[in-house]
Every structure is written in structure tokens, then in C-alpha cells.
Amino acid sequence: TDIDVFITQWDGNAEIHFRDFGRGIPDEDMPFIFDKFYRGKNCRNEQGSGLGLYIVKYIAEQMQGKVMLHNHSDGLEAVISLPIISQSS
């Protein structure tokens, strides 16, 4: 599956976008997708521990940021939003 990665800046935040063109995440899995060890119903026989999105969310929140997931008709977009902190000399 192809993945598009790009960065935007909006409202004092840097946003890193990861957009794939796969199956997306079923709506019934969305409330649990950031839970530790949770694996979605459509994982089938794919390997994984269910920790990836949990770790991404944890790290983003430790940096005062957040993670958002958006299903599209042709895949999923994950956005990591982190505050831009200017350094003074």
C-alpha cells in the first residue's frame, strides 16, 4: 500500500499527516483503537501487538500534542499535531 507523508502548519501547531490507501479502520473499532493491545477487526492474519497507535498517542500527549484519525472512502489518514515552541536566544 502506498503512503503519503506530509507536514502542515496550522494555528501554532506542526501537523504530520500519514495517509494510506488501504482498508481504513472500521467505525466500530474507532473508540478502542488507541487502547493498549487492541487490534482492529480487519487485521486478519497481519502481525502486530496492538501497541503502535497506543505508543504514538502516548508520545504525542507527552509533547502536549494529539493524534487524530480520519477514515476516507479509500483509506485512513493519521495526523499527529504538536505545538510549535519557539526558542528564544
Side-chain angles (χ1 to χ4, degrees):
T1 302
D2 290 333
I3 298 175
D4 291 341
V5 179
F6 59 96
I7 299 172
T8 59
Q9 181 178 337
W10 185 79
D11 196 28
N13 294 301
E15 295 183 341
I16 308 164
H17 299 251
F18 300 88
R19 172 78 161 87
D20 73 22
F21 301 90
R23 296 185 306 258
I25 297 175
D27 290 339
E28 62 267 18
D29 286 333
M30 282 296 212
F32 313 105
I33 205 67
F34 292 109
D35 291 353
K36 192 185 295 186
F37 303 116
Y38 186 81
R39 301 215 43 223
K41 308 274 185 287
N42 66 349
C43 286
R44 298 185 188 145
N45 295 328
E46 295 177 29
Q47 291 185 336
S49 62
L51 288 173
L53 287 173
Y54 170 81
I55 293 169
V56 168
K57 182 180 179 194
Y58 176 81
I59 292 171
E61 288 177 347
Q62 294 303 304
M63 300 173 72
Q64 314 317 300
K66 61 184 176 180
V67 180
M68 298 158 286
L69 299 176
H70 308 284
N71 269 320
H72 296 277
S73 61
D74 60 347
L76 179 76
E77 181 176 15
V79 181
I80 302 170
S81 179
L82 300 170
I84 298 172
I85 300 170
S86 58
Q87 296 181 356
S88 48
S89 301

